[in-house]
Amino acid sequence: MIEPSAVRFASAGIYAVSAVVLLALARRKPAALRRYCYPFVAVVAAAAVGVGLWGAGIGTFSVANGTLEGGQVLTDYVAYPFLFGFAAFVAGTSRRYVGAVVALIVAMRVGYDVAEVFAGPLALAGTGTILVGYVALVWLYFGPIAGAASRQPPARELFYKKTRNLVLFAFGVLIAWAMFQIAGLLDAFTGTVTLEYLDLLLRVGFAGFAFANVETLAAGEEPETSGGSAPGGDAGAAPTDSGPNAATSGAD
């Protein structure tokens, strides 16, 4: 049986190579688009470091009834808020909704840690946070954030829809994995292999997808403000009634 540490070292190596490749691809993008690419490089590089530390057993600390892995904490708390926040950003929504998505993701990730190391009511609360948070994410992505995306150029709206579907599917599978892990239904090897595969898909796969579509962000990249109307909305048409014919119309 292959040791979980060997799987993690192999995964860390894949992340390291992927980070180098992504950096090279980012430098080939136009200068105006590189600012969207470099954060993905940083996320993948952080995963290489975090998973490598996890494989080496560095940074493990005990909490309540269990242990937390410093390497896992590093890579997850860097990657998840950025990736899900980026999906909301692609929609051109307001900072308020981007912040709400990031806050939900952080709360869900904390909920997993709580469920992992505590028992009883705290464990149930942690599990509930994960499930309720996912439902809230689905509502945000298909509700107000999708509404903002519909006011973007067609290419950017399509980019948002694909990005949203990717993160929701990948994270939904991760939640299912977490439930099995918390319940103790996965042995060490199976749990490690499946988690590393899912994490690679979410981080490296997402980065590759974003790089292939980043040009769509060049159009309509200004997010909508929470207090104003979207570009092209009714607010821009209202002043037409104040022209020279307004008085005549009123007299009629």
Side-chain angles (χ1 to χ4, degrees):
M1 180 69 71
I2 301 175
E3 291 295 324
S5 59
V7 175
R8 293 193 178 102
F9 283 135
S11 182
I14 295 172
Y15 280 124
V17 172
S18 299
V20 173
V21 172
L22 289 171
L23 179 59
L25 291 174
R27 288 179 173 175
R28 296 178 62 182
K29 295 289 184 181
L33 297 178
R34 292 174 193 168
R35 63 192 178 104
Y36 301 120
C37 299
Y38 287 142
F40 286 97
V41 177
V43 165
V44 175
V49 174
V51 175
L53 291 174
W54 192 3
I58 298 173
T60 301
F61 53 97
S62 298
V63 179
N65 301 322
T67 58
L68 295 177
E69 301 290 343
Q72 183 184 25
V73 169
L74 168 66
T75 181
D76 286 359
Y77 282 88
V78 168
Y80 295 157
F82 169 73
L83 296 178
F84 281 83
F86 181 82
F89 166 78
V90 168
T93 191
S94 66
R95 291 184 179 88
R96 178 181 62 181
Y97 284 119
V98 174
V101 167
V102 170
L104 274 173
I105 288 295
V106 171
M108 292 167 68
R109 187 58 184 80
V110 171
Y112 171 76
D113 286 337
V114 170
E116 182 76 4
V117 300
F118 290 99
L122 283 176
L124 289 175
T127 302
T129 300
I130 297 172
L131 300 177
V132 173
Y134 189 75
V135 172
L137 274 178
V138 171
W139 175 79
L140 283 171
Y141 278 135
F142 282 91
I145 296 177
S150 69
R151 295 185 285 273
Q152 298 298 318
R156 183 160 177 171
E157 181 184 9
L158 180 61
F159 183 25
Y160 164 70
K161 289 180 178 179
K162 291 181 177 180
T163 302
R164 173 195 65 194
N165 294 343
L166 173 61
V167 294
L168 287 177
F169 171 75
F171 208 63
V173 176
L174 275 172
I175 289 173
W177 179 91
M179 297 300 104
F180 285 121
Q181 179 72 5
I182 291 170
L185 300 178
L186 299 175
D187 61 73
F189 176 76
T190 302
T192 302
V193 170
T194 52
L195 177 61
E196 292 306 322
Y197 173 77
L198 292 171
D199 280 347
L200 279 165
L201 173 65
L202 186 56
R203 292 165 174 77
V204 179
F206 194 147
F209 173 72
F211 274 45
N213 293 273
V214 71
E215 284 77 10
T216 63
L217 297 178
E221 65 180 354
E222 287 297 327
E224 67 168 306
T225 59
S226 57
S229 298
D234 293 337
T240 59
D241 291 334
S242 61
N245 295 328
T248 303
S249 300
D252 293 339

